[in-house]
Amino acid sequence: MDGATWSSPSRGELHDRVAARDGLHRLGREQAALRRVAELVAHGAPATDVFGAVAAEAAGLLDGQATTLTRFDGAAALVVVAAPAGPAPVGAHIAFGRDTLPDRVLRTADVVRVDDYTGQPDAELAASFGLGAAVSAPVLVAGEVWGMLTATSGDRPLPQDTGPRLEQFARLVAAALGSSQARSDLRALAAEQAALRRVAELVARGTASDDVFVAVTDEASALLGDLPVALMLYDDTGAVVVATCHCPAPVGLHVPFSAGTAVDRLYRTGRPAHVDTYEGTPMAGIARDAGIVSTTAVPITVEGRVRATLVSSNTLPATRDAVEARLTQFAELAAVAIANADARAELTASRARVVATADETRRRLQRDVHDGAQQRLVHTIIALKLARDALAAGSSAADLVDEALANAERANAELRDLVHGILPGSLTRGGLRAGIESLVADIAVPVDVGVTAPRLPAATETTAYFVVAEALTNMVKHARARRARVQVDLEGDDLLIEVRDDGVGGADPTLGTGLVGLLDRVDAAEGSLAITSPIGVGTTVRATLPCRPEVRGDAGT
């Protein structure tokens, strides 16, 4: 041995070697068990498979000691989710009290061990399962205690390293839950976005609002696990159901405003409303008959006013925030559909008014020409023919010529008046200032005129002229004003028109005055019109017309 010496190991050295070999063997088993569970997690295995594997692998490493995975159900109960050889079956619901082992795990989020249940607050519960000792490690998901992994013994304390071993498996459970939740969240998000896209496409295509409402309730209900969903439109006395899905309330049902309902509260506040129970309210009987336990309602707001509500029934307090968030997304699409329907209805009504106005204008022109200038010209022709016959017979025709001339002059004057009513020559020749000054010259009420705008495109000047003309006509007919003021100014590329009087006020375009036609005319010019008319204060008509002046210069030039 080249001088080297050898001696047999001592008993202590042999013991240390055996202990080291056993430790390495145990570490290898532990790493293999952890790897098997980790591979399940990495491959996206169902959480239930991971739960069972964790409990079985942990029990194997603990020499067959019973190992149970439980989740917390609130702050005072557990549900068994995996127990290959545990004292309680899967699905068992176990209540616990203050300062018990599960309570301490929940409150501390740390490993808790009980080496002897004698004298413990849960000694009786432990005895019912045949437990003498236990060690539990918390399962933490997103920083919260989701559940715990527990090893139990019937007659002796568990090894001191039981807690750290359980913690390793508990972390794998948390990873499985986290990835499972992430996949679930992604699936839910994808389903939600697909549902919103389908409804948005209907809105974008201009689908009838009733069809959009049905799609909104169907899609929202599906995302909420088939909870009842209804869409209701408000009127002056309550709300009417216009679309439903899985809802006991029929379409067409009118729900009057009633204290204690989410529909009433939402309309008054403009904010989402919740009713967790109808017991003890005037609606208790009706809600009970309809099978409605609770309600979550979100507003559908159009142009700053609550027009409708999207309602889900039988929502749980724990999930109502999520329900509210999903309903709100669909409510926004419903609001666009309502606004589109309003715009289509307004456009249809406006077109009908324009057509009616044009027809009436043609009839009036036909009547005026027929009854006035045309008759004068007929008389002129007759008089001239008689004069010709008289001249041929050698008689005097002077009186007949005078009569013909008088009729021709009167016909000319009547035609001039008609043309002036259509579009005054002063406007076309002299611009907006001249046209308005010519207009107010024939009005008995004093009108102050201030026009600072230069010459503008003909279409803009014509629209502005008729805004002023219609406002002044309504003043003369209805306002009983003592004085009025017309102001027209150009600010940037906008022409600002204001006609103000000191009359009785109370002007309402919805009552069929000429102001309705004025709204249509301004809309056609892509402008805006505002009418302020408090009773007893007077009326102010303000219009804004977009324009690009063709000539920049002094007003009226």
Side-chain angles (χ1 to χ4, degrees):
M1 299 289 295
D2 296 331
T5 60
W6 178 89
S7 61
S8 62
S10 66
R11 186 182 300 273
E13 289 175 331
L14 286 174
H15 181 271
D16 290 344
R17 289 180 183 179
V18 170
R21 187 171 59 251
D22 289 346
L24 288 173
H25 179 65
R26 186 179 65 184
L27 180 61
R29 289 175 55 217
E30 183 174 303
Q31 293 302 312
L34 290 169
R35 185 178 63 252
R36 286 191 291 272
V37 178
E39 287 175 350
L40 288 177
V41 175
H43 292 138
T48 52
D49 292 352
V50 176
F51 296 161
V54 162
E57 296 283 6
L61 287 178
L62 296 173
D63 299 324
Q65 296 291 347
T67 305
T68 305
L69 179 64
T70 52
R71 65 172 176 83
F72 285 99
D73 184 15
L78 290 167
V79 177
V80 178
V81 296
V90 172
H93 194 272
I94 305 170
F96 59 83
R98 183 73 175 175
D99 291 328
T100 58
L101 182 145
D103 177 65
R104 289 157 59 193
V105 171
L106 183 60
R107 286 189 290 107
T108 65
D110 202 355
V111 172
V112 176
R113 64 182 295 129
V114 175
D115 291 334
D116 185 355
Y117 270 103
T118 303
Q120 293 291 324
D122 46 354
E124 185 176 345
L125 177 64
S128 69
F129 288 111
L131 306 182
V135 177
S136 291
V139 177
L140 302 176
V141 178
E144 301 291 332
V145 180
W146 175 87
M148 62 184 194
L149 184 61
T150 304
T152 58
S153 170
D155 55 0
R156 65 182 183 277
L158 291 155
Q160 289 301 312
D161 63 353
T162 301
R165 285 183 163 188
L166 292 177
E167 282 187 298
Q168 296 183 82
F169 285 102
R171 283 193 288 271
L172 288 173
V173 173
L177 286 169
S179 60
S180 176
Q181 184 62 48
R183 289 193 297 273
S184 177
D185 290 345
L186 285 174
R187 285 194 296 270
L189 180 61
E192 181 176 302
Q193 293 304 311
L196 290 169
R197 184 178 65 251
R198 286 191 290 270
V199 177
E201 288 173 351
L202 291 178
V203 175
R205 289 199 298 266
T207 303
S209 55
D210 288 346
D211 293 336
V212 174
F213 296 159
V214 170
V216 164
T217 55
D218 288 350
E219 298 285 4
S221 177
L223 287 178
L224 295 174
D226 294 333
L227 282 176
V229 174
L231 195 150
M232 308 174 73
L233 293 179
Y234 283 106
D235 57 25
D236 293 336
T237 59
V240 62
V241 178
V242 296
T244 67
C245 185
H246 299 298
C247 184
V251 171
L253 174 69
H254 188 272
V255 180
F257 290 126
S258 176
T261 65
V263 170
D264 174 69
R265 191 182 309 161
L266 177 146
Y267 186 74
R268 288 186 288 104
T269 65
R271 297 191 299 271
H274 306 274
V275 174
D276 292 332
T277 178
Y278 284 98
E279 293 302 322
T281 72
M283 293 290 293
I286 298 175
R288 198 179 304 114
D289 292 342
I292 297 174
V293 177
S294 58
T295 300
T296 293
V298 299
I300 298 174
T301 304
V302 180
E303 296 183 352
R305 185 165 66 92
V306 176
R307 294 283 303 280
T309 178
L310 193 58
V311 182
S312 181
S313 302
N314 301 338
T315 55
L316 298 174
T319 60
R320 72 182 187 187
D321 288 345
V323 171
E324 177 187 318
R326 279 189 165 165
L327 290 179
T328 298
Q329 290 178 299
F330 285 101
E332 292 170 356
L333 290 171
V336 176
I338 292 173
N340 288 349
D342 288 349
R344 286 194 295 270
E346 185 175 333
L347 179 60
T348 300
S350 175
R351 286 173 175 170
R353 290 194 299 267
V354 169
V355 171
T357 299
D359 289 345
E360 175 58 28
T361 300
R362 283 192 291 270
R363 285 191 293 269
R364 179 176 57 81
L365 285 173
Q366 182 186 35
R367 184 174 61 250
D368 290 348
V369 171
H370 178 272
D371 295 345
Q374 185 176 352
Q375 295 300 317
R376 299 294 179 192
L377 291 173
V378 169
H379 293 159
T380 300
I381 293 170
I382 292 173
L384 288 173
K385 286 182 177 180
L386 291 174
R388 182 189 61 191
D389 293 343
L391 288 172
S395 302
S396 174
D399 291 341
L400 292 171
V401 172
D402 289 342
E403 180 183 347
L405 179 61
N407 282 319
E409 288 176 341
R410 292 183 65 179
N412 182 60
E414 288 175 357
L415 286 172
R416 185 172 58 248
D417 290 341
L418 282 172
V419 171
H420 184 277
I422 297 171
L423 194 65
S426 58
L427 174 65
T428 56
R429 292 190 302 272
L432 196 52
R433 174 187 285 176
I436 293 175
E437 289 176 344
S438 173
L439 175 67
V440 302
D442 297 328
I443 296 176
V445 177
V447 180
D448 299 322
V449 177
V451 179
T452 64
R455 288 304 302 265
L456 302 170
T460 303
E461 288 191 332
T462 301
T463 301
Y465 173 85
F466 281 109
V467 168
V468 175
E470 189 59 54
L472 291 177
T473 298
N474 275 277
M475 175 200 71
V476 172
K477 288 182 177 179
H478 309 292
R480 301 199 295 275
R482 297 185 301 274
R483 197 167 196 87
R485 169 78 183 175
V486 176
Q487 186 67 41
V488 182
D489 303 300
L490 185 67
E491 292 188 5
D493 287 340
D494 289 331
L495 185 67
L496 307 183
I497 306 157
E498 181 178 277
V499 181
R500 184 174 62 252
D501 67 58
D502 59 359
V504 296
D508 186 352
T510 64
L511 297 180
T513 67
L515 293 176
V516 176
L518 193 55
L519 285 166
D520 294 337
R521 185 183 291 272
V522 173
D523 283 342
E526 299 183 355
S528 61
L529 183 72
I531 300 170
T532 306
S533 189
I535 295 176
V537 178
T539 299
T540 300
V541 176
R542 293 187 180 89
T544 301
L545 301 176
C547 63
R548 297 187 181 280
E550 295 172 334
V551 178
R552 296 289 189 179
D554 294 334
T557 60

